[in-house]
Amino acid sequence: MDTKIELTNLSKEELNTEITKIGEKSFRAKQLWQWIYYRGETDFNRMSNLSLNLRKTLSEKYKITRPKIITEQISIDKTHKWLLEFEDGERVEMVYIPEKDRGAVCISTQVGCAMGCRFCHTGSQKFTRNLTTSEIVGQFMVARDAYQEWPSPTDEVRYLSNIVVMGMGEPLNNLENVVKALNIITDSEGISISRRRITMSTSGIAPRIVEALQRTGVRLAVSLHAPNNTIRSRIMPINDKFKIEELLKACAEYQQGDHSRYITFEYLLLKGINDSIENAQELIHLMKKYKLRALFNLIPFNPWPGCSFETSERKTVEAFSQELEKAGFAAPIRVARGQDILAACGQLKSKMPKG
Ligand code: SAH
Ligand code: SF4
């Protein structure tokens, strides 16, 4: 059995402790950190400022693993999707969405998802397990390898400039590993992605919202998708546990005292279910009631095989957007990317149906 310790599972402090344990000075841990996260090196033998002896010890005791690429697809709009496999054979999908002079990597936090949102392809696949810190950080490193963005660029002009924690899984149900991974990814001596450029999306685990944001400092997106509990419970089972009131109270608490904190509310439009003008007005009322500084991201439903929901008409989506904008909320309509390769929101799935 492979008993080597995976270094990308360790926080900066833990790496330091580990390296001092084998009798090395702290600055060696710092050099090692830079090799792994600033240069993207995976082979101890190429770490040229470490002594040959140390390189040998490191290779005997430790490893730096990347998730294995099983397949890769690039869509006609250049959206890039990878199917990645971890050491135990479990798989997730990751997507890179390029823009003109930047781009976002959409990373996963769980294999499958336990929340079971009715409109989501991932939710139709049973929850298998949480991803480890190493597996979360490793996804981003795979994307960096692909776009050869090592060593970490020192300016903000990058192919991989942003991260959205919006792939498979509910990040707040894997909070410890997600916090650790985001702290590694944002460390200025390593991968160095600014916290402002990371957005984490939750389906609404209300009691963990404030803590999650305090511990990561990233931006918050909430998958609201409905203006009242009746509709929300119908499409998102999590709403039976944490009702809209509790969710929005947590959002308001997060915004308290800091006026720069805007929340993005994702709103998926499902034909005939939540897309009427009355629904938009109800939504505006909610935002005012809880005094939220909000912007909306309207998502036309992306269909997937076997799902019975339908996409709202374009003119319905536009009217919904206009209603929100009239009330002073930004409400852009998200352009689906990578639909031809099932890489768009809610289309990710890493397992074929059984039987
Ligand atoms: N689990 C987290 C983050 C991942 S999902 C969450 O639910 O917030 C990213 C976004 O895509 C969420 O807002 C989700 O509700 C949305 N989504 C899910 N299925 C979709 C579909 N079929 N079409 C469009 N968006 C979808
Ligand atoms: Fe899970 Fe998010 Fe899909 Fe809901 S929308 S099933 S929370 S991945």
Side-chain angles (χ1 to χ4, degrees):
M1 212 183 85
D2 184 3
T3 51
K4 291 182 183 178
I5 296 173
E6 175 57 57
L7 288 183
T8 58
N9 257 328
L10 307 182
S11 68
K12 210 174 192 180
E13 296 69 37
E14 287 168 343
L15 182 69
N16 190 45
T17 311
E18 196 58 47
I19 295 307
T20 25
K21 249 192 351 212
I22 59 165
E24 293 290 331
K25 298 243 163 49
S26 278
F27 80 95
R28 293 290 176 208
K30 199 165 162 165
Q31 285 176 320
L32 190 52
W33 182 270
Q34 286 171 347
W35 277 112
I36 302 172
Y37 298 113
Y38 174 69
R39 300 207 171 269
E41 187 54 70
T42 53
D43 182 352
F44 294 111
N45 289 319
R46 282 202 289 263
M47 301 186 174
S48 51
N49 59 359
L50 306 182
S51 72
L52 283 174
N53 251 340
L54 177 55
R55 286 186 235 170
K56 188 162 166 281
T57 313
L58 290 172
S59 341
E60 282 161 6
K61 281 178 157 307
Y62 305 106
K63 56 184 177 176
I64 303 162
T65 319
R66 292 282 199 272
K68 196 163 123 197
I69 300 172
I70 302 297
T71 52
E72 275 183 80
Q73 284 170 282
I74 298 184
S75 110
I76 37 179
D77 66 13
K78 300 275 189 288
T79 301
H80 194 153
K81 182 169 88 165
W82 292 263
L83 176 61
L84 302 175
E85 188 177 275
F86 304 116
E87 283 184 309
D88 64 352
E90 290 299 341
R91 296 172 171 192
V92 296
E93 291 192 308
M94 170 174 76
V95 179
Y96 169 61
I97 309 128
E99 304 281 345
K100 211 161 143 229
D101 52 359
R102 65 207 152 90
V105 180
C106 179
I107 58 177
S108 295
T109 55
Q110 299 181 317
V111 180
C113 183
M115 310 317 289
C117 303
R118 309 262 185 259
F119 45 76
C120 176
H121 207 190
T122 306
S124 75
Q125 169 187 331
K126 288 278 164 282
F127 171 73
T128 307
R129 67 170 175 86
N130 280 332
L131 296 191
T132 63
T133 299
S134 161
E135 290 164 345
I136 298 169
V137 177
Q139 290 172 64
F140 188 72
M141 304 224 270
V142 166
R144 271 252 173 115
D145 294 343
Y147 289 85
Q148 299 179 358
E149 214 156 58
W150 300 110
S152 296
T154 47
D155 56 19
E156 298 273 309
V157 186
R158 310 171 175 199
Y159 282 116
L160 313 181
S161 58
N162 292 55
I163 294 179
V164 289
V165 186
M166 295 189 186
M168 302 169 63
E170 168 49 59
L172 302 197
N173 278 350
N174 185 12
L175 193 54
E176 293 309 313
N177 295 342
V178 169
V179 166
K180 213 163 152 187
L182 291 179
N183 285 333
I184 293 174
I185 287 172
T186 52
D187 184 89
S188 61
E189 286 171 326
I191 294 174
S192 190
I193 299 281
S194 143
R195 294 176 195 271
R196 295 178 284 113
R197 291 183 175 276
I198 302 179
T199 304
M200 183 157 65
S201 175
T202 177
S203 61
I205 317 290
R208 297 207 187 124
I209 286 184
V210 173
E211 183 198 347
L213 277 295
Q214 269 167 355
R215 292 176 67 191
T216 58
V218 300
R219 289 175 185 271
L220 172 66
V222 174
S223 295
L224 190 56
H225 305 331
N228 60 50
N229 287 316
T230 313
I231 303 179
R232 197 161 192 269
S233 288
R234 195 171 146 200
I235 57 178
M236 301 177 77
I238 182 68
N239 198 66
D240 292 334
K241 219 165 171 186
F242 309 113
K243 296 262 178 296
I244 290 189
E245 294 73 23
E246 191 178 347
L247 174 58
L248 296 186
K249 253 190 226 146
C251 292
E253 192 186 330
Y254 156 70
Q255 290 192 320
Q256 239 168 33
D258 186 344
H259 286 267
S260 65
R261 285 182 182 169
Y262 267 75
I263 297 174
T264 302
F265 286 98
E266 293 156 288
Y267 195 99
L268 175 68
L269 288 125
L270 301 166
K271 189 174 182 175
I273 291 183
N274 63 358
D275 61 353
S276 71
I277 291 296
E278 292 72 46
N279 295 151
Q281 287 162 350
E282 227 178 323
L283 200 52
I284 294 164
H285 178 74
L286 270 185
M287 295 299 127
K288 292 191 172 153
K289 185 170 165 200
Y290 290 91
K291 300 191 172 61
L292 293 166
R293 291 181 294 286
L295 35 106
F296 289 90
N297 208 327
L298 302 182
I299 319 176
F301 171 64
N302 294 313
W304 42 271
C307 185
S308 59
F309 292 112
E310 287 175 75
T311 311
S312 304
E313 305 285 337
R314 185 72 197 178
K315 60 176 193 314
T316 314
V317 181
E318 279 166 7
F320 200 96
S321 165
Q322 278 161 17
E323 194 64 27
L324 292 172
E325 297 207 331
K326 246 180 15 203
F329 296 100
I333 301 164
R334 193 187 283 176
V335 182
R337 299 285 305 265
Q339 247 181 334
D340 53 323
I341 57 167
L342 283 187
C345 298
Q347 292 183 318
L348 302 187
K349 190 168 171 166
S350 56
K351 276 194 186 135
M352 299 317 272
K354 293 215 169 70

